[in-house]
């Protein structure tokens, strides 16, 4: 198998499950159904490395409206901060740092980086909408993070739309609502999203549509 093929399998296909994972799945099937929320408030984004972070930034801004949102980074670092943070984002980042998290704020985004467990705890502590950019291959810890989200979106690179259905099939065992995100937007929209400032135009509509599809 080629290195590219192995990389795609690592990113999109579920790892072997332990007996404990199978038991928890069985228990989940017998749990009462959860009440659907109008829109997911914690969303993970997996997929192509060059599309994951910007897609997660766009999702976080869509979920946040005018307020702050957490952008978690698993397998990646906090990107350069290119805009002043709104006061609410600054306060949230300060609270997370006081709790020992690697956190910083820019625009409306509160960046938090670390292991899957670290990021889940940071989201819980922040108490605001969140999106997590997952830039590392799936394993048991990553899958526990994915299960803790309201939805999972799959980010695909331009020209690789055919990988979306493969990724969705690999997520079925997690029993988490999932959908394919729109492709990476133009460079200006990318810059605005990564700065935590705005998500705009057709890309914003596409992200909202994907979130609705993942309900």
């Amino acid at each position: 198998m080629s290195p590219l093929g192995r990389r795609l399998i690592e990113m999109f296909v579920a790892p072997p499950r332990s007996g404990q994972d199978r038991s928890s799945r069985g228990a989940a099937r017998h749990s009462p159904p959860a009440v659907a929320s109008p829109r997911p408030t914690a969303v993970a984004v997996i997929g192509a490395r060059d599309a994951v972070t910007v897609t997660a930034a766009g999702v976080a801004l869509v979920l946040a409206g005018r307020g702050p949102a957490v952008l978690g980074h698993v397998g990646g670092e906090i990107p350069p901060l290119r805009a002043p943070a709104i006061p609410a984002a600054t306060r949230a980042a300060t609270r997370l740092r006081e709790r020992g998290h690697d956190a910083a704020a820019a625009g409306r985004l509160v960046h938090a980086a670390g292991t899957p467990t670290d990021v889940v705890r940071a989201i819980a502590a922040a108490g605001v909408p969140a999106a997590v950019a997952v830039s590392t291959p799936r394993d048991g810890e990553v899958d526990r993070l994915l299960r803790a989200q309201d939805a999972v979106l799959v980010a695909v690179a331009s020209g690789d739309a055919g990988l979306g259905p493969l990724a969705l099939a690999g997520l079925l065992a997690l029993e988490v609502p999932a959908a394919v995100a729109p492709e990476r937007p133009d460079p200006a929209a990318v810059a605005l999203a990564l700065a935590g400032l705005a998500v705009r135009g057709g890309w914003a509509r596409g992200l909202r549509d994907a979130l609705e599809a993942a309900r």
Side-chain angles (χ1 to χ4, degrees):
M1 180 182 295
S2 69
L4 175 60
R6 286 194 296 271
R7 178 65 176 167
L8 292 176
I9 289 175
E10 286 179 339
M11 294 301 296
F12 291 137
V13 179
R17 298 183 194 90
S18 67
Q20 181 178 1
D21 287 340
R22 287 193 293 269
S23 298
S24 62
R25 283 187 59 213
R29 281 195 295 268
H30 293 90
S31 300
V35 177
S37 58
R39 179 180 292 166
T41 57
V43 176
V45 180
I46 67 170
R49 182 177 290 271
D50 65 345
V52 162
T53 301
V54 66
T55 300
V59 169
L61 292 170
V62 166
L63 293 175
R66 295 180 179 274
V70 169
L71 175 53
H73 303 272
V74 173
E77 299 179 350
I78 295 175
L81 307 179
R82 303 193 182 281
I86 65 171
T90 298
R91 291 193 296 271
T94 299
R95 288 197 303 271
L96 293 184
R97 288 194 297 271
E98 290 173 347
R99 291 170 178 254
H101 296 288
D102 180 10
R108 291 186 284 122
L109 294 179
V110 181
H111 297 268
T115 67
T117 300
D118 291 336
V119 170
V120 168
R121 289 174 177 167
I123 291 171
V128 297
V132 183
V134 180
S135 303
T136 189
R138 285 177 59 187
D139 59 15
E141 190 178 11
V142 169
D143 276 2
R144 285 191 290 275
L145 177 146
L146 298 180
R147 288 190 185 98
Q149 309 308 300
D150 294 298
V152 178
L153 294 188
V154 176
V156 295
S158 298
D160 287 338
L163 292 177
L166 170 64
L168 291 179
L171 292 168
L172 286 176
L174 298 182
E175 299 178 339
V176 176
V180 178
E183 290 187 6
R184 180 186 176 103
D186 62 86
V190 168
L192 284 172
L194 291 179
L197 296 176
V199 55
R200 65 182 192 180
W203 187 49
R205 290 190 294 274
L207 290 173
R208 291 188 183 95
D209 288 345
L211 292 170
E212 290 298 322
R215 288 180 58 184

